[in-house]
Amino acid sequence: MLLNSLTFVVFFTVVVTAYWSMRSWTTRKNLLVVASYIFYGAWNPPFAALLFSTTAMDFWLGARIARAKGSHARRIWLIASVCMNLSMLGFFKYGNFLLENFQWLMARIGILYQPPHLDILLPVGISFYTFHSLSYTLDVYRGVMQPTKSLRDFVLAVSFFPQLVAGPIVRAGDFLPQLLAPPKPQTGRFLWGLALMTLGLFEKVVLADTMLAGSADRIFSYGGPLIALDSWMGVIAFAGQIFFDFAGYSTCAIGAALCLGFHLKNNFRFPYAAIGFSDFWQRWHISLSTFLRDYLYFPLGGNRVGWIRAAINLVIVMFLGGLWHGAAWTFVVWGLLHGFYLVIEHALKAFFGDKAWTDTFAVKVLLGLVTYFAVCLAWVFFRASDFAAASRILRGMFGGHPHGDAILATREMLQIGLVTFFMILAHWSLRDISIEQAVERLPRWLVTTAWAVMACAIILTQGSSNAFIYFQF
């Protein structure tokens, strides 16, 4: 069930109406559990059983961790949870990838091995709900939260339908406390939730799908050489597309949760106004970057173990962050590029000092542009189907095809340019405030007009209901 579909509009309307008409908090939570499993089972009903089994096992393991006597026993139960979650993720997401690479390795040493092809269907959103569930046992082990006594509440925390399949990654420690008491209906919060859902759908349906996706797809799927202008335009189009697509889903999820009385943390803070790559990862997919920071980077020693070890830790974290996105070496290279960006940035900051990065507005803008274009270079590997396609695009971007083809129409280039210009202008204008603060400063008539315009644009451009990009992860 896609958030940008009429089916979801009907589903959400029914759920919200029934939810707020019920007086019993227990009944409301039961409704949300049922609705969440219907929402997820609409893709493939058997995978709802996989979701529940993973959740129930982590609930049981969390209790074992809390009751265990001694650090060794606690560590054993935690390892069991980590192995269970990662083995599920590894089998469904990386099974064929591992077999193909093992076959390639055997061929390098002269052994012809033909593994059976595993016809594995990837459960939608498995990377997200695995981290939702795993955060619970990790936090219980770390002592930052007590295990819940309610299986139903934990099932709801993991499967809550707005954020289930494409984030943000919601930690059990942030969501479970919200289930202790029923939220009170608030008209302002409900309307703000609907406004965020409208904004998210506008980003997805109008900006990502209608304005940018077609041009990006044409460039990245083209098999011939391309001139530099078309290559750059295709990459810039994808940079905008993936932001509007993913940020659009996160905004919809946060808005839908607000309509039901729940608060989810922000997942994006105007990332294309980032000054440096550390700043970028504090603004892009915040729930993933903080998850990797708290549960991987810090346990590895973070930056407290010397400069060389800290650099290695950064590369390890970004390598795994790239692999989390997909079972392909192109994602690994994307992650490693960001890892090396971070290492270089830390080295420059150590040499020049932090202050040099924010001395003047001109320096900020210059560093912001460098960050944006470096991020765009990395997006080539994220979007390309293989290294041959990535190499072809990169050669074109740097003038390697002086007699290449020009396949984008002038209208498409203007479209990409206008959307990108206003996107970056908005990011820089709002980089130091939240969208809530920005809206509060505007007159009500202007906010209402913008809301109406976005709603009309969604209705007029709604077409094939393309899936969100991050559904595949």
Side-chain angles (χ1 to χ4, degrees):
M1 191 183 302
L2 300 174
L3 268 67
N4 54 321
S5 67
L6 183 60
T7 304
F8 179 78
V9 173
V10 175
F11 167 82
F12 186 70
T13 302
V14 171
V15 170
V16 169
T17 303
Y19 175 82
W20 287 115
S21 66
M22 296 173 176
R23 292 187 176 182
S24 168
W25 181 222
T26 299
T27 306
R28 281 199 225 169
K29 289 191 283 188
N30 291 338
L31 169 68
L32 290 179
V33 170
V34 172
S36 296
Y37 272 80
I38 291 173
F39 174 83
Y40 190 72
W43 274 285
N44 194 316
F47 286 146
L50 176 67
L51 170 62
F52 179 78
S53 63
T54 300
T55 306
M57 182 60 72
D58 273 330
F59 174 78
W60 183 78
L61 288 169
R64 301 283 80 73
I65 292 171
R67 293 175 189 170
K69 305 296 183 183
S71 59
H72 178 71
R74 288 165 54 81
R75 192 176 298 113
I76 292 296
W77 289 118
L78 176 66
I79 291 172
S81 173
V82 172
C83 290
M84 184 270 295
N85 281 282
L86 296 187
S87 63
M88 288 285 190
L89 185 61
F91 174 76
F92 284 101
K93 191 168 183 176
Y94 304 104
N96 282 322
F97 175 72
L98 292 173
L99 277 177
E100 290 168 2
N101 281 276
F102 181 73
Q103 180 185 18
W104 178 88
L105 185 62
M106 291 296 99
R108 300 287 77 76
I109 60 176
I111 300 176
L112 295 178
Y113 172 64
Q114 294 294 331
H117 179 75
L118 301 178
D119 192 16
I120 302 173
L121 183 62
L122 180 67
V124 65
I126 188 172
S127 296
F128 287 94
Y129 74 68
T130 297
F131 278 15
H132 294 160
S133 187
L134 186 58
S135 72
Y136 174 70
T137 51
L138 288 168
D139 281 349
V140 171
Y141 175 80
R142 294 163 67 211
V144 299
M145 68 172 292
Q146 293 297 314
T148 178
K149 296 180 180 179
S150 171
L151 175 61
R152 189 267 322 282
D153 283 7
F154 183 57
V155 167
L156 178 55
V158 175
S159 65
F160 186 49
F161 71 86
Q163 45 77 32
L164 174 59
V165 293
I169 297 170
V170 178
R171 303 187 193 185
D174 293 328
F175 194 84
L176 283 171
Q178 299 185 58
L179 298 176
L180 297 178
K184 295 179 181 179
Q186 297 178 18
T187 302
R189 180 172 60 187
F190 186 83
L191 290 176
W192 180 241
L194 290 179
L196 287 177
M197 292 182 73
T198 305
L199 174 61
L201 288 175
F202 177 79
E203 289 180 312
K204 163 62 177 173
V205 175
V206 179
L207 299 178
D209 288 353
T210 304
M211 303 290 284
L212 299 173
S215 300
D217 290 346
R218 286 183 63 199
I219 292 298
F220 279 92
S221 63
Y222 191 72
L226 291 165
I227 61 172
L229 180 59
D230 280 44
S231 300
W232 274 105
M233 281 293 177
V235 173
I236 290 172
F238 179 71
Q241 179 198 358
I242 194 168
F243 168 74
F244 288 124
D245 190 285
F246 191 22
Y249 186 94
S250 294
T251 304
C252 282
I254 293 168
L258 275 177
C259 289
L260 295 166
F262 297 96
H263 292 271
L264 305 183
K265 290 184 176 180
N266 197 5
N267 207 25
F268 289 87
R269 287 195 308 111
F270 311 110
Y272 289 143
I275 301 172
F277 305 102
S278 298
D279 191 26
F280 177 80
W281 281 103
Q282 291 170 9
R283 296 171 177 276
W284 178 277
H285 203 348
I286 300 168
S287 60
L288 174 64
S289 60
T290 53
F291 187 99
L292 294 175
R293 179 198 66 194
D294 294 346
Y295 300 125
L296 184 59
Y297 182 65
F298 286 164
L300 287 172
N303 58 2
R304 305 182 306 276
V305 289
W307 192 89
I308 295 177
R309 277 284 305 279
I312 293 172
N313 291 342
L314 280 172
V315 173
I316 290 172
V317 168
M318 296 312 299
F319 165 81
L320 293 175
L323 192 60
W324 177 87
H325 280 83
W329 287 110
T330 49
F331 289 113
V332 171
V333 170
W334 172 78
L336 287 174
L337 267 176
H338 274 279
F340 288 124
Y341 289 164
L342 289 166
V343 170
I344 293 169
E345 178 188 295
H346 283 208
L348 290 174
K349 282 185 176 181
F351 185 77
F352 291 106
D354 285 343
K355 192 181 176 199
W357 291 68
T358 55
D359 262 348
T360 64
F361 180 74
V363 172
K364 288 182 180 180
V365 172
L366 177 61
L367 291 173
L369 289 174
V370 170
T371 303
Y372 174 72
F373 283 109
V375 168
C376 284
L377 289 178
W379 282 137
V380 173
F381 292 95
F382 191 97
R383 176 60 180 82
S385 57
D386 51 40
F387 287 118
S391 175
R392 186 166 57 248
I393 295 293
L394 288 170
R395 284 201 305 271
M397 291 169 71
F398 292 99
H401 305 138
H403 304 293
D405 301 325
I407 64 173
L408 293 181
T410 303
R411 176 191 58 81
E412 291 177 284
M413 293 186 185
L414 289 173
Q415 203 165 272
I416 295 167
L418 284 172
V419 172
T420 302
F421 172 78
F422 284 109
M423 174 186 71
I424 293 178
L425 179 64
H427 283 213
W428 276 91
S429 300
L430 302 172
R431 74 179 305 275
D432 295 321
I433 62 173
S434 66
I435 190 170
E436 291 85 357
Q437 292 171 317
V439 170
E440 284 176 359
R441 297 176 183 179
L442 298 174
R444 184 164 295 183
W445 68 265
L446 184 58
V447 175
T448 304
T449 301
W451 190 352
V453 169
M454 288 191 296
C456 291
I458 292 167
I459 294 169
L460 292 174
T461 57
Q462 179 65 39
S464 57
S465 296
N466 295 331
F468 289 83
I469 291 174
Y470 267 66
F471 275 18
Q472 64 186 295
F473 306 137

